[in-house]
């Protein structure tokens, strides 16, 4: 095939004219009209700002067509832009902000104030529009069964930049594939869905997934338990029934809560252990010499599937709704709201179980009553937990300045009362 172009360097920007019939805009009668159309429709200011910051992309030449074929090269040559119309427009406005539309002129003047003008560029000079058409087709008309430019998919972008939001999802899928929970074919198109779930802290906490260090993704559950949870998630992900890209935050929370009750899953947590060998044996040896890290603060009041199941059987919509809310609202910075919710939950539950108005729930749940209900361990500690919850809720609700702000303590107290709550639900359930 005969050569259809010649690469040239040092083409003066002032000798290059924007295309008046570029596919990016309707045909216009002047370069000024082309500038106005590009600025209004093609984000030229954003491009100019990027060029002013880091320069022109050295991987991309301008495609140029001579205005006069007899003067295709040389100092007197003039060109129209066949490829790079947006970039050339940005250059012209940085070099001369007066060319910008009036409403953008001041913005371009600010960019140009710190701009070192680019006077000349490199280009590929084509004989005519027909000669360059085949290459424009390769650039702008998609993959075309392999002959055109192919865009990176989400996973490929993650492998390239390494630091974007999909990195954790990439690592989790890599782990699942290595553990033969899914195949390479199964994971195609699933990255964005996994990222959506991992962006939800209830799901991460339930799974036991630690992405605090994006270069060292880890789990906080024993491996066997983590694998049980992940297998369930992967199975639902591939099946697209219980896990799909259309699920919102509340859908994901509703999906995540019951996972902790799967057979073989306990409440045991471990120090973060790398999923993919990021923490080498050498690192482990040095880690052993370090001081223990500070425990992570509770993100939510811990959800117990057994309590929600018992509440559904009780049929009290208020209690079910309260329980869902206090376990869903993030503790930080919403501890006061959650404290009032926990207080209200226990007030309502004990009232359903027979507490008289005017009697506090901690007084109602005396040691004798707890013993009669079948609770016979750590009665003093349980009473202290109830007193703290009642005092914290009352103070937060009624005081003008004071409130409960210790989320870890609130979570710990409420978790300690799990058996008491279950016994109260039983006591509140009408006999058939």
């Amino acid at each position: 095939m005969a050569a259809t172009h010649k690469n040239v360097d040092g083409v003066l920007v002032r000798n290059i004219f924007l295309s008046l019939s570029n596919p990016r805009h309707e045909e216009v009668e002047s370069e000024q009209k082309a500038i106005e159309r590009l600025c209004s429709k093609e984000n030229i200011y954003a491009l100019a700002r990027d060029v002013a910051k880091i320069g022109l992309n050295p991987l991309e030449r301008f495609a140029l067509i001579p205005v006069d074929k007899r003067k295709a090269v040389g100092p007197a040559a003039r060109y129209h832009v066949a490829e790079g119309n947006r970039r050339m427009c940005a250059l012209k406005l940085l070099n001369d902000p007066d060319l910008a539309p009036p409403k953008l002129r001041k913005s371009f003047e600010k960019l140009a104030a710190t701009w070192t003008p680019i006077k000349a560029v490199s280009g590929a000079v084509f004989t005519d529009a027909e000669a360059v058409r085949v290459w424009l087709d390769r650039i702008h008309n998609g993959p075309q069964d392999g002959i055109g430019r192919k865009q990176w998919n989400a996973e490929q972008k993650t492998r390239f930049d390494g630091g974007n939001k999909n990195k954790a999802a990439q690592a989790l899928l890599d782990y699942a594939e290595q553990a033969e929970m899914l195949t390479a074919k199964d994971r195609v198109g699933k990255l964005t869905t996994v990222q959506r779930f991992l962006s939800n802290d209830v799901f991460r906490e339930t799974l036991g997934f630690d992405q605090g260090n994006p270069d060292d993704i880890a789990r906080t559950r024993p491996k066997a338990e983590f694998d049980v949870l992940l297998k369930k998630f992967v199975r639902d992900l591939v099946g697209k029934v219980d896990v799909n890209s259309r699920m919102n935050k509340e859908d994901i929370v509703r999906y995540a809560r019951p996972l902790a009750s799967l057979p073989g899953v306990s409440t045991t947590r471990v120090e973060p252990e790398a999923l993919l060998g990021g923490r080498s044996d050498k690192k482990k040896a040095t880690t052993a010499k370090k001081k223990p890290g500070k425990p992570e603060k509770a993100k939510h009041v811990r959800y117990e599937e057994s309590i929600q199941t018992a509440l559904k059987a009780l049929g009290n919509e208020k209690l079910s709704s309260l329980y869902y809310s206090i376990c869903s609202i993030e503790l930080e910075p919403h501890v006061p709201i959650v404290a009032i919710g926990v207080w209200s939950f226990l007030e309502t539950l004990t009232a359903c179980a027979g507490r008289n108005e005017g009697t506090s729930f901690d007084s109602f749940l005396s040691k004798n009553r707890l013993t009669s209900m079948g609770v016979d361990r750590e009665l003093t500690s349980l009473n202290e937990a109830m007193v703290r919850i009642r005092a914290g809720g009352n103070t937060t609700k009624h005081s003008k300045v004071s409130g409960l702000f210790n989320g870890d303590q609130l979570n710990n107290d409420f978790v300690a009362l799990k058996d008491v709550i279950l016994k109260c639900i039983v006591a509140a359930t009408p006999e058939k």
Side-chain angles (χ1 to χ4, degrees):
M1 180 177 177
T4 59
H5 72 279
K6 180 177 181 179
N7 291 334
V8 294
D9 296 320
V11 181
L12 297 177
V13 171
R14 69 169 183 264
N15 289 344
I16 301 174
F17 303 97
L18 299 179
S19 172
L20 305 186
S21 58
N22 191 278
R24 289 195 179 278
H25 56 74
E26 297 176 4
E27 187 168 356
V28 292
E29 64 273 17
S30 68
E31 186 171 71
Q32 188 59 43
K33 290 292 185 182
I35 289 173
E36 291 174 1
R37 185 62 61 87
L38 288 167
C39 285
S40 65
K41 302 292 185 181
E42 299 293 342
N43 299 320
I44 297 301
Y45 177 74
L47 176 58
R49 184 172 54 198
D50 189 62
V51 171
K53 181 179 180 181
I54 64 174
L56 287 170
N57 186 344
L59 304 181
E60 296 181 320
R61 283 177 173 265
F62 291 91
L64 306 173
I65 298 173
V67 173
D68 184 345
K69 290 184 180 180
R70 295 170 299 177
K71 300 177 181 178
V73 294
R78 303 289 186 271
Y79 306 94
H80 289 300
V81 179
E83 170 60 17
N85 223 35
R86 292 180 66 244
R87 284 174 287 146
M88 183 53 62
C89 182
L91 273 185
K92 285 179 174 289
L93 298 184
L94 285 169
N95 286 349
D96 185 1
D98 286 340
L99 295 175
K103 64 180 181 180
L104 291 175
R105 200 161 293 157
K106 288 186 178 180
S107 298
F108 276 98
E109 286 174 354
K110 289 181 181 178
L111 289 181
T114 57
W115 161 254
T116 301
I118 293 178
K119 299 294 187 179
V121 296
S122 298
V125 177
F126 290 81
T127 54
D128 52 36
E130 192 59 34
V132 75
R133 182 181 295 276
V134 64
W135 301 113
L136 297 180
D137 178 71
R138 296 297 188 269
I139 293 173
H140 294 294
N141 282 340
Q144 303 175 68
D145 296 323
I147 65 173
R149 181 170 290 180
K150 187 175 181 181
Q151 297 292 321
W152 284 337
N153 62 31
E155 288 206 38
Q156 292 162 347
K157 289 177 182 176
T158 299
R159 289 193 180 98
F160 171 72
D161 64 31
N164 71 10
K165 62 183 181 181
N166 287 330
K167 190 170 185 179
Q170 178 85 49
L172 188 65
L173 286 171
D174 287 346
Y175 175 84
E177 185 178 348
Q178 289 179 19
E180 299 183 347
M181 297 180 191
L182 83 172
T183 65
K185 183 178 179 180
D186 288 334
R187 68 186 285 177
V188 173
K190 303 297 191 302
L191 186 70
T192 302
T193 301
V194 175
Q195 188 279 323
R196 178 185 290 267
F197 273 72
L198 290 182
S199 67
N200 185 285
D201 51 7
V202 174
F203 177 77
R204 289 199 310 274
E205 189 174 336
T206 302
L207 182 61
F209 187 78
D210 181 357
Q211 60 182 32
N213 180 354
D215 295 317
D216 199 7
I217 305 302
R219 57 176 169 78
T220 58
R221 284 187 181 273
K223 184 178 185 305
E225 297 186 17
F226 180 84
D227 286 354
V228 168
L229 293 163
L230 184 57
K231 283 179 182 177
K232 163 67 174 168
F233 174 65
V234 167
R235 187 164 60 247
D236 294 340
L237 174 71
V238 174
K240 296 182 180 179
V241 177
D242 297 320
V243 173
N244 59 70
S245 60
R246 299 182 299 277
M247 294 172 73
N248 59 28
K249 181 179 180 180
E250 290 186 358
D251 294 332
I252 293 172
V253 169
R254 279 193 290 270
Y255 172 81
R257 292 299 191 192
L259 294 179
S261 299
L262 289 174
V265 177
S266 70
T267 58
T268 304
R269 298 286 172 160
V270 299
E271 287 297 311
E273 296 179 1
L275 280 186
L276 299 170
R279 301 176 188 198
S280 64
D281 293 337
K282 182 169 67 174
K283 281 190 176 182
K284 289 179 180 178
T286 57
T287 300
K289 298 178 182 179
K290 296 180 180 179
K291 293 181 179 180
K294 186 178 180 180
E296 186 177 353
K297 286 183 174 293
K299 293 183 174 64
H300 299 84
V301 168
R302 195 171 80 193
Y303 174 89
E304 298 287 353
E305 182 67 21
S306 57
I307 292 178
Q308 186 68 296
T309 300
L311 289 172
K312 286 181 180 179
L314 177 61
N316 188 308
E317 186 175 347
K318 175 184 176 181
L319 283 170
S320 293
S321 181
L322 275 171
Y323 186 66
Y324 176 81
S325 295
I326 62 181
C327 292
S328 298
I329 298 173
E330 294 183 17
L331 278 173
E332 299 293 342
H334 305 299
V335 177
I337 294 296
V338 180
I340 294 174
V342 169
W343 171 82
S344 178
F345 175 82
L346 292 175
E347 284 269 297
T348 304
L349 178 60
T350 51
C352 292
R355 178 180 62 82
N356 294 321
E357 187 176 350
T359 303
S360 66
F361 61 75
D362 53 298
S363 297
F364 171 73
L365 294 172
S366 63
K367 291 182 180 180
N368 288 337
R369 187 180 296 276
L370 290 176
T371 300
S372 68
M373 287 180 167
V375 180
D376 57 2
R377 294 182 180 180
E378 300 183 347
L379 298 181
T380 299
S381 297
L382 293 176
N383 180 259
E384 291 173 349
M386 286 187 281
V387 169
R388 281 192 294 268
I389 290 174
R390 189 251 306 158
N394 271 324
T395 299
T396 304
K397 182 178 180 182
H398 298 293
S399 173
K400 294 180 179 179
V401 294
S402 299
L404 177 61
F405 298 97
N406 190 333
D408 283 329
Q409 185 64 63
L410 178 62
N411 175 61
N412 184 271
D413 287 340
F414 195 67
V415 168
L417 294 176
K418 174 184 175 181
D419 290 341
V420 175
I421 292 169
L422 289 171
K423 296 295 183 182
C424 284
I425 296 173
V426 172
T429 304
E431 294 184 5
K432 294 183 179 180

